[in-house]
Amino acid sequence: MEFSLIKTEQKGLVLVLYDQGHPSVREIAGSKSKQGKITRYGRYAGIGHGQGSLKPVSRSSRRVARQSSKKNDGEMDIIEKLVGKIFGRQALETDESFGLKRMNAEDTPELFPATVDEFAEPLPEDTGDVRYYRKLLKNTQLEKIPLELVFDSDKDGFSMESFGQKVYTMGASLLVATIKDSNAIVGGYNPRGWIGLNEDRDSIAAFLFTWPDGNISSSMPIKLQKVGGYSMAVMDYPSEGIRFGPDGLKFLAPGRERIATSRLGSYYARMPDGSKSIFPNGEKSVEFERVQVYVSSQGPETYNLDGIIWKTGRNAE
């Protein structure tokens, strides 16, 4: 069992349990709100190794979690106090104890929402526009991996069939689109990639982005986090085109391949000015001129059946 302790604006302190990488929230202390925007992550999390299950949180632990505290040098914060209550003080003494391992956004970045105010540095291998698209990939699995352009609508055509032939099973993908009669650039990051098996691709680390002025070399992109939980980050249904969330960013629908629509707020954060569309001037729909998809240069993922669970990996070649 994998789990994390986090702090949210609305829920207070919560426990996130991960099943095959998909998190579900268990409230420990705070309001009874169903949703909560994550604002600070606890330092402590763990991976169980068959040494028992989590114990119910006691009332005293709940009181500790509700306390407001200002951390002084040498003092434990609320997260540390709660971990000590549940697992014992010895769990705080090392990075790894009792089969538990502390986790953080650097070691396991895609268990956390995308960072919106930090940007990656280009790699020596980066050339052309990739040098600037690299900014988007801070704290993602692609941050320090050379990228390969696998789909370009100018060369491969503007159809879902050609998209699937080039992109399916390639893993985490960065999609970049230009808009007809506009300088703006928009797109999205899909941490789990497309496979075309008519399923939702869930991830809290997915995000949308835009350069409203199209100036990728000297300006920073606007990144819009996944909101409303990890579910339906990307809806991988070939007959319906490309969809980031049910309505965050959609295009390549049959018969309307170049027409893109956007509605923000339910599954992806709104623009900084409150706009519900990622497109210039809040337009609800635009016509895409070109779409490109970048993936890891390490090649396609492999899928192996382990019992009843499909596990992914990459070819050693």
Side-chain angles (χ1 to χ4, degrees):
M1 176 180 60
E2 190 175 356
F3 57 91
S4 301
L5 290 170
I6 63 174
K7 189 174 184 181
T8 70
E9 285 181 344
Q10 297 178 19
K11 278 192 171 184
L13 199 62
V14 300
L15 184 71
V16 181
L17 304 178
Y18 295 96
D19 179 15
Q20 297 298 315
H22 303 321
S24 60
V25 175
R26 299 288 184 271
E27 183 175 343
I28 292 179
S31 72
K32 295 182 179 180
S33 171
K34 298 294 184 183
Q35 301 275 356
K37 180 181 178 183
I38 294 172
T39 56
R40 183 169 73 87
Y41 296 96
R43 301 182 203 175
Y44 299 95
I47 302 174
H49 296 288
Q51 299 188 14
S53 58
L54 293 175
K55 297 178 180 179
V57 179
S58 66
R59 291 184 179 180
S60 61
S61 294
R62 290 176 183 268
R63 286 197 297 272
V64 170
R66 285 194 293 265
Q67 292 175 355
S68 60
S69 67
K70 295 183 179 179
K71 187 174 182 180
N72 299 319
D73 291 339
E75 273 189 16
M76 293 189 297
D77 60 23
I78 283 182
I79 304 292
E80 292 169 321
K81 290 178 180 179
L82 184 61
V83 169
K85 283 281 187 179
I86 298 174
F87 302 108
R89 291 291 296 270
Q90 58 267 46
L92 304 174
E93 296 173 359
T94 65
D95 285 341
E96 204 164 330
S97 58
F98 307 115
L100 301 175
K101 182 179 180 181
R102 297 184 191 181
M103 298 166 62
N104 54 54
E106 288 73 29
D107 295 335
T108 53
E110 295 194 350
L111 295 181
F112 300 89
T115 179
V116 298
D117 54 7
E118 296 180 87
F119 301 95
E121 295 295 328
L123 302 184
E125 298 89 343
D126 291 344
T127 60
D129 290 344
V130 173
R131 292 175 295 173
Y132 309 117
Y133 297 154
R134 177 69 60 182
K135 301 175 186 178
L136 297 160
L137 299 176
K138 182 69 175 178
N139 287 349
T140 71
Q141 60 185 287
L142 295 180
E143 178 178 359
K144 297 181 180 179
I145 297 176
L147 300 180
E148 177 183 355
L149 176 63
V150 292
F151 176 80
D152 186 340
S153 62
D154 280 358
K155 179 182 69 175
D156 301 312
F158 231 106
S159 73
M160 196 63 212
E161 181 180 3
S162 60
F163 181 94
Q165 290 173 350
K166 298 291 185 177
V167 178
Y168 287 167
T169 75
M170 297 303 293
S173 305
L174 182 69
L175 184 149
V176 182
T178 57
I179 300 172
K180 186 177 180 180
D181 300 324
S182 172
N183 293 325
I185 292 174
V186 301
Y189 173 65
N190 177 2
R192 301 192 63 202
W194 285 271
I195 56 176
L197 294 181
N198 292 304
E199 64 178 18
D200 297 338
R201 307 293 276 169
D202 302 332
S203 176
I204 196 66
F207 62 83
L208 299 178
F209 67 87
T210 180
W211 273 276
D213 60 3
N215 190 352
I216 61 175
S217 62
S218 59
S219 64
M220 291 300 177
I222 296 171
K223 295 173 66 176
L224 307 176
Q225 290 179 325
K226 177 73 175 68
V227 297
Y230 66 92
S231 63
M232 291 188 284
V234 172
M235 303 183 72
D236 190 5
Y237 298 84
S239 63
E240 300 175 3
I242 301 301
R243 302 170 70 189
F244 281 84
D247 51 10
L249 177 63
K250 302 191 297 182
F251 70 100
L252 271 187
R256 304 177 72 247
E257 284 81 2
R258 291 181 179 268
I259 303 302
T261 62
S262 174
R263 187 177 185 277
L264 304 173
S266 298
Y267 291 88
Y268 287 90
R270 295 182 184 182
M271 293 286 284
D273 63 1
S275 174
K276 294 184 179 181
S277 171
I278 199 171
F279 304 137
N281 304 314
E283 296 179 48
K284 294 181 179 180
S285 66
V286 297
E287 182 176 343
F288 277 172
E289 185 171 56
R290 184 183 188 185
V291 173
Q292 297 174 301
V293 178
Y294 294 87
V295 300
S296 166
S297 63
Q298 297 175 348
E301 291 184 330
T302 58
Y303 287 79
N304 301 302
L305 188 61
D306 182 3
I308 62 172
I309 298 172
W310 284 97
K311 292 189 175 181
T312 62
R314 288 198 182 275
N315 293 322
E317 300 175 354

